[in-house]
Amino acid sequence: MSDLGEKGFRQSQAFLHTWSGLLLGWVLFAVFTAGTIAYYREGLNRWMRPELAKVEQPEKVLAGAQRFLADKAPDAKSWFITLPGATAYGAVASWVPQTKVGEPPPRRRDNQAMIDANGEPATARETRGGEFFYRFHFDLYYVPYYVARWLIGVAALLMLVAILSGIVTHKKIFRDFFTLRRGKGQRSWLDGHNASAVLALPFHLMITYTGLVTLAVMLLPWATIAAFPKEGAFFEALYPEAEAVERTGRPVPLPDLNMLVRDAEARLGGKAGYVEVSEPGDAAARVTVTRSGSSMLSSRTPHITYSAATGKPVWRSPEAGAAVTTAGSMIGLHAGRYSSDWLRFLYFLCGVAGSVMVASGLVLWTVKRREKLPDPARPHFGFRLVERLNVAAIGGFPLGVAVMFWANRLLPVEMAGRAAWEVHCLFLAWGAALVLSIVRKPQPNWVALLGLTGALLAALPVYNLFGTERGLIASLWSGDTMLAGIDAAMLVFGLAFLALARRVARHKPAAPRARRRAPAIQPVEAQMEPAE
């Protein structure tokens, strides 16, 4: 390819990179940030319930869950117990009651309770905890889930296009990774954008592609429909289950679930994550133990079913085929549940780099074009719109997260709908940032939003020292590194936001350069805008 042809191709890729990154960039920033926070959702589940202690004896928790369900719902259709992980606050015990003919099927989430580290029903504040960030990064909020997932799917596709076209566009991207020029305007923003992109480039490619794969059945349903024409056949193949049993009416005591879980873990080759009991207390009762997703890469974990009457295995899920294993591994790679503590931390750092990459790319769009405006003091509507949306999204969403954390600490514990109001507070703060970005000039808004976010985040560990029993010092003293790490992260990010606010407040826009009159005829190379 000639130099002219190469420049033309790279120029077209630069155009594609710019607009694919901009169109849904604000959604991508919120999704990427929420997904990054969700890598510590179990830790946040406990951090946002400071009344609950760390689980030291998982067997004690499971025994308590079995005891609770036997008292609360002895004749239920089924029980379901989510076993505590290494950083969890306890177990979640839920049940589905028996229904009569014609009644709507009950939902398990309407009948559930938390079991604390002592094996007792937990008394703790109502909160969505880290689960909110996990669900938000693919289901959003206030919109139907299928609309949200289509929007997220399109955004992920655009991001994949932006990443690939960015690699083509920036011919010297790896060399520029080692270059970071400060105080150089557009050049500095481009250096920062390149560094955050190249630093975790394999992660960015992996997380975007695997995110698309998880939504593939919804985005591209035709192959699934062709391969599984019968209704429900696809999910039966993907999630095989033992044959359902009918209640006999003959009572048989349920065996110790801890005993069955230990046997299942030996047979399945890994730690158990879930226990389901069908028709508890009956001669036909079945106990299904599912391997934890944290013990293997694939999220399609195997399970084994026992007869409650005999305690013997009666069914085991078949070996997963190549397609199921591949799909499960894609989800496992994306969610990172299999990761060790250090690998999870690396996931988190790469997620932070991805959030910075998206944010710096959005800001770079305005920085680059401001220098080319006929009158930078009076930009056109499209420029003003992007500039203010940048302030609202990049400055507003982190502020909303900080406000949500403070709502978790300050809202009355007995408040009705408390968990929902924590989330409402996030969006109220984000909406206020949007209004502020519309009515005020961008620079003071950047300073206000970044500074307020930093102050709120940095103050949280201080409040925890005196307002809860799980402050930084107490967590370190008890060896609870998860809660100590979250408090430390709040402090670090708070100081980082304050430093950014200080830097923006001191920034003085460079005087516009005089525009030189172009010659009447230019060579083709001179007419081409140099690629980023």
Side-chain angles (χ1 to χ4, degrees), residues 347-362:
Y347 262 85
F348 179 77
L349 291 180
C350 290
V352 172
S355 301
V356 171
M357 175 187 69
V358 175
S360 60
L362 290 170

Side-chain angles (χ1 to χ4, degrees), residues 311-496:
K312 302 296 183 181
V314 295
W315 181 86
R316 180 169 178 161
S317 57
E319 289 291 330
V324 173
T325 300
T326 301
S329 298
M330 292 291 180
I331 298 173
L333 277 172
H334 188 87
R337 298 189 188 99
Y338 69 96
S339 56
S340 63
D341 292 343
W342 285 108
L343 183 55
R344 184 175 299 276
F345 184 58
L346 182 60
Y347 262 85
F348 179 77
L349 291 180
C350 290
V352 172
S355 301
V356 171
M357 175 187 69
V358 175
S360 60
L362 290 170
V363 174
L364 181 61
W365 192 95
T366 58
V367 171
K368 179 179 178 181
R369 280 153 185 78
R370 183 182 294 280
E371 298 178 357
K372 301 175 183 178
L373 292 172
D375 184 0
R378 293 186 174 183
H380 54 79
F381 172 76
F383 183 92
R384 295 198 309 272
L385 176 65
V386 172
E387 192 173 38
R388 280 158 172 74
L389 285 175
N390 282 349
V391 176
I394 301 170
F397 185 71
L399 174 63
V401 172
V403 168
M404 179 182 175
F405 289 151
W406 272 104
N408 172 262
R409 290 297 189 252
L410 299 180
L411 289 178
V413 175
E414 302 82 8
M415 179 180 179
R418 189 182 189 282
W421 271 105
E422 285 183 2
V423 179
H424 295 333
C425 286
L426 184 155
F427 287 100
L428 286 172
W430 197 3
L434 175 61
V435 173
L436 191 67
S437 68
I438 294 172
V439 301
R440 294 184 67 200
K441 291 183 178 180
Q443 184 171 5
N445 285 343
W446 280 117
V447 176
L449 295 177
L450 294 174
L452 182 56
T453 301
L456 290 175
L457 288 176
L460 273 166
V462 179
Y463 175 86
N464 287 340
L465 286 174
F466 305 100
T468 73
E469 298 179 358
R470 312 288 175 194
L472 180 59
I473 296 175
S475 297
L476 288 173
W477 183 260
S478 64
D480 194 342
T481 55
M482 176 57 70
L483 293 193
I486 291 175
D487 270 346
M490 299 277 187
L491 184 60
V492 169
F493 279 98
L495 294 176

Side-chain angles (χ1 to χ4, degrees), residues 148-365:
R149 293 186 186 186
W150 267 102
L151 180 63
I152 298 302
V154 173
L157 181 60
L158 288 175
M159 183 168 182
L160 186 61
V161 171
I163 292 173
L164 295 175
S165 58
I167 294 172
V168 174
T169 300
H170 302 293
K171 185 168 63 173
K172 301 175 182 179
I173 188 170
F174 292 101
R175 190 192 73 178
D176 288 347
F177 169 67
F178 299 98
T179 305
L180 190 59
R181 287 156 283 201
R182 301 175 62 185
K184 299 295 184 181
Q186 175 186 331
R187 189 71 249 181
S188 298
W189 279 106
L190 183 57
D191 287 346
H193 183 62
N194 287 344
S196 59
V198 178
L199 179 66
L201 181 59
F203 174 84
H204 300 330
L205 286 168
M206 179 276 292
I207 209 71
T208 306
Y209 178 72
T210 55
L212 275 171
V213 169
T214 62
L215 298 172
V217 174
M218 186 187 70
L219 298 175
L220 301 169
W222 305 283
T224 304
I225 294 172
F228 300 94
K230 182 183 176 182
E231 184 178 358
F234 173 71
F235 290 98
E236 290 176 5
L238 197 59
Y239 305 104
E241 295 180 351
E243 185 178 353
V245 294
E246 296 291 336
R247 203 171 189 87
T248 65
R250 291 190 297 109
V252 172
L254 195 67
D256 179 16
L257 293 181
N258 272 305
M259 178 188 67
L260 296 183
V261 166
R262 286 192 294 270
D263 183 77
E265 288 177 341
R267 294 174 184 272
L268 295 175
K271 189 179 184 303
Y274 310 96
V275 175
E276 182 177 6
V277 182
S278 302
E279 306 296 349
D282 190 80
R286 296 286 187 268
V287 179
T288 300
V289 181
T290 302
R291 184 172 168 177
S292 171
S294 64
S295 66
M296 59 187 295
L297 175 60
S298 175
S299 65
R300 309 301 186 201
T301 54
H303 40 279
I304 187 170
T305 298
Y306 294 82
S307 166
T310 64
K312 302 296 183 181
V314 295
W315 181 86
R316 180 169 178 161
S317 57
E319 289 291 330
V324 173
T325 300
T326 301
S329 298
M330 292 291 180
I331 298 173
L333 277 172
H334 188 87
R337 298 189 188 99
Y338 69 96
S339 56
S340 63
D341 292 343
W342 285 108
L343 183 55
R344 184 175 299 276
F345 184 58
L346 182 60
Y347 262 85
F348 179 77
L349 291 180
C350 290
V352 172
S355 301
V356 171
M357 175 187 69
V358 175
S360 60
L362 290 170
V363 174
L364 181 61
W365 192 95

